[in-house]
Amino acid sequence: MTGTTVSHYKILEKLGEGGMGVVYKAHDTKLDRVVALKFLPAHLSSSEVEKIRFLQEAKAAASLSHPNICTIFAIEEYTEAGGTGSQFFFAMEYLEGKTLRHEMKEISLQRAVDTGFQVAEGLAAAHQKGIVHRDVKAENIMARPDGRVQIMDFGLAKVRGGSQLTKAGSTVGTIGYMAPEQIQGMDVDHRADLFSLGVLMYEMASGHLPFRGVHDAAVMYEIVNVQPPLPSEVNPEIPDELDRIIIKCLAKDRDERYQSARDVAVDLKILKKRSGSGVITTMPGEGLPSKRASGSRAAILRPTPVSNRKPLVYGLAALLVLLGAASAWYFLGRGPSAAITSMVVLPFENVGKDPDLEYLSDGVTEGIINKMSRMPGLRVIPRSAAFRFKGSSKDPKSIGEELGVDAVLSGRVVQRADKLDLTLELIDVHAYAQLWGESYKRTMNDLITVQEEIVAEVSAVITPGAAAKPDGAAIAGTTGTKDPAAYRLYLQGKFHWNKRTAADFERALNYYNQAIAIDPGYARARLGLAETYILQAQYADIRSTDVMALAETEAVRSTELDPSLGEAHAALGMVRESHWDWAGAEREFKLAIQKAPGYATSYHWYFIFLQLMGRDDEALGVIKKGAELDPYSPIILSNLANGYLTNDNYEAADEVIRKIREIDPQFFFANVWKAAVCLGTGKPKEGLEVLNEMKLAGLSSNNLGFVGHYYAAFGAVSKADSILSVLLADPKKTPDPVAVAMVYAGLGKSDSTLAWLQKAYDQEDKSRTLPMAGVWREFRLVRKDPQFITLMKKVGVQ
């Protein structure tokens, strides 16, 4: 079928084939995403029973939403052109990685424990829905590059209360992994999956299946009648506790096994915590001999050989010592119960990869960030830093360590029609242990309330004994509406606003206005309008007079609707600054910081104001605070670099620029300030290389002025002249006089520089950039000229 199109899926390649289906990799042309498609094999298509079983698998799996279960998107039917029969297939999440079978030979004990834990978590979610997998094996577990494992192929799934599809006495499953009751044709329940999980863990830990024979009948006999050797007898490095867990899963009598997958997960989680400390303290097994764990931090899960065991009294004494050491580490060191004072909420995964729903996963993430950031005593990494890891294959522990936080909250979002599935996990970075996990099945109308539920549950885990919910007014302030439709439109507006392009600003305005049409009292949507108008003046070459009055109206209205909205005062500060109302601007910036001290943008904008006022030392302190709050924001860091450049501190500026360029190599001001450093330190060749690497398409007039200035300063006069031509090319469009003046300053033409600055002052609307000429180093050529000094005094910044 490779190369053909089925419905709206283009088949790319065959991935595999098994007894219950053939799987292809395909491109969903409607939603522009890669999926996996599973069809019934052709030789089974004529069987109504098999079709019913196939639909049962799809419906069972489609009802599940969990990080350790492959997500099903749709169930569809396909009839070939001219054909008389049809095939059912379903589209499911395409998983990058390899099956556990490919990983089996190289798997470590620590990875085996973690894999067993994740599989148990996924099975627990399925069993809670009344779904028994009945074919848990290495081939049906996908191991992803980020360390997560996911259960696939519910082709033999049995649904509680569903129709009986097999005859009495028949067996379904894979020989070697079947529970005794499966082999004997008895009715099975969820405990059959736990037996299969025990087989899987035995195989991962020891490298061998527990039941082996020269033919299937011999294997089946062993499963029903023969007790396998302890895993540690095959691999002496296996600790007693893992022995105990595996053997309990493999009990012949299902009443003697674990009674739930959750119980298996809990015991494996405890074992994971011990391995995270570098010391395994084993628990006395049920009839199993006890071992001592190695004291080496590198020898995780490595007990002493069986032959070295001491008499019981010495073994107990050693065990007590180890338990005491582990307890001291756990309570006094950095165990999972230690206080969580910082966290990051990673961008939630849009499981369906539908670009039209990207706003939803981003919006839910940002909403939870906003809510959690209002929790007292908790430092939450801001959006700009968290979203650097969108789509990253890094595991949560590595990300948490990089950001220097105690905990990582990650999640997955699936939307099916008006249904919303959210699956979340909170990880303790230091112990690498799951602190909390939950799945939420809601409708889209619950989008606001489900975020409040999540924040309440996470905060209760982070601060045990504290109030279950953050302050109600604070929560309300992060959404600002009770109308779900208005909130979804707001999220779509915010999604486009964050893209920072002229076209996306227009889309953002459209969505914000739709939200306000539904809820006229929606303060945050009005703030969204104000912020969009402000940035249009900066990024889209729209005259300040055309947008700042609109920005002022919406910002004032938002403060009236929600007096606690500090961000609105920051927007008003920018409006006042654009009117050259310096006292009013400072008043609003101070109010913004007072009402929302964690909003880094207020410090960014206040820094610019302080620079205009010539208060350079104070400005540097303010922007440092902004960079502490949002250490991965390119624009805030670029202002920090600019602060250092103002004082000719090229070394400090260059260090900040290096960090920005690591975050975003194409970020405009990082490269402009790098050119400034090269000019100040006498490195014109390196400076020209930086300029030549920049992408100039789509730059605003103001930004082109910077590029033209530095080309001229480095002696590339022809390139500077070409930028002047671009700035002056459109006779229907008034060029930014300050940008033109900046290029002339680079060319060393004082008279032309001053003439164009005067044009900026004389134009009908107050220039947004003219006041900056008083502090921008690019105008040092004319800074001591009396005409320039007089002009800056008229502006009010001298």
Side-chain angles (χ1 to χ4, degrees), residues 281 322-333:
T281 54
L322 287 170
L323 284 171
S327 297
W329 174 85
Y330 186 83
F331 290 108
L332 300 178

Side-chain angles (χ1 to χ4, degrees), residues 500 535 538-539 604-605 607-608 611 633-643 645 653-654 656-662 664-678 690-691 694-696 699-707 709-710 736 739 742 768-769 772 776-778:
R500 298 292 206 276
L535 291 191
Q538 296 182 31
Y539 288 85
H604 159 208
W605 288 345
F607 160 80
I608 296 172
Q611 272 204 323
S633 166
I635 188 63
I636 289 177
L637 289 175
S638 70
N639 276 279
L640 177 59
N642 188 22
L645 282 172
D654 203 33
V656 177
I657 292 164
R658 182 192 58 77
K659 182 176 180 181
I660 303 170
R661 297 177 85 191
E662 286 177 358
D664 183 356
Q666 289 298 323
F667 189 72
F668 176 78
F669 279 108
N671 292 304
V672 163
W673 299 151
K674 179 64 178 179
V677 169
C678 291
V690 171
L691 294 176
M694 293 174 67
K695 296 178 180 178
L696 304 185
L699 288 183
S700 66
S701 297
N702 179 249
N703 288 352
L704 281 174
F706 278 104
V707 178
H709 174 88
Y710 283 103
D736 179 358
M742 193 180 293
R768 182 183 59 83
T769 53
M772 299 302 299
W776 277 340
R777 61 191 298 106
E778 289 72 25

Side-chain angles (χ1 to χ4, degrees), residues 105-123:
K105 290 183 179 180
E106 300 178 355
I107 197 166
S108 67
L109 279 174
Q110 190 165 8
R111 173 64 171 161
V113 171
D114 181 61
T115 298
F117 166 73
Q118 292 189 59
V119 173
E121 286 279 283
L123 289 175

Side-chain angles (χ1 to χ4, degrees), residues 532-581:
T532 307
Y533 290 135
I534 289 168
L535 291 191
Q536 277 188 316
Q538 296 182 31
Y539 288 85
D541 276 341
I542 295 180
R543 294 195 318 162
S544 293
T545 50
D546 293 336
V547 290
M548 283 303 181
L550 297 171
E552 182 172 15
T553 298
E554 298 300 339
V556 169
R557 183 68 179 125
S558 63
T559 60
E560 292 171 348
L561 290 167
D562 184 357
S564 69
L565 205 54
E567 295 93 326
H569 288 283
L572 274 174
M574 290 296 283
V575 171
R576 302 280 181 259
E577 187 177 291
S578 73
H579 296 332
W580 300 354
D581 175 7

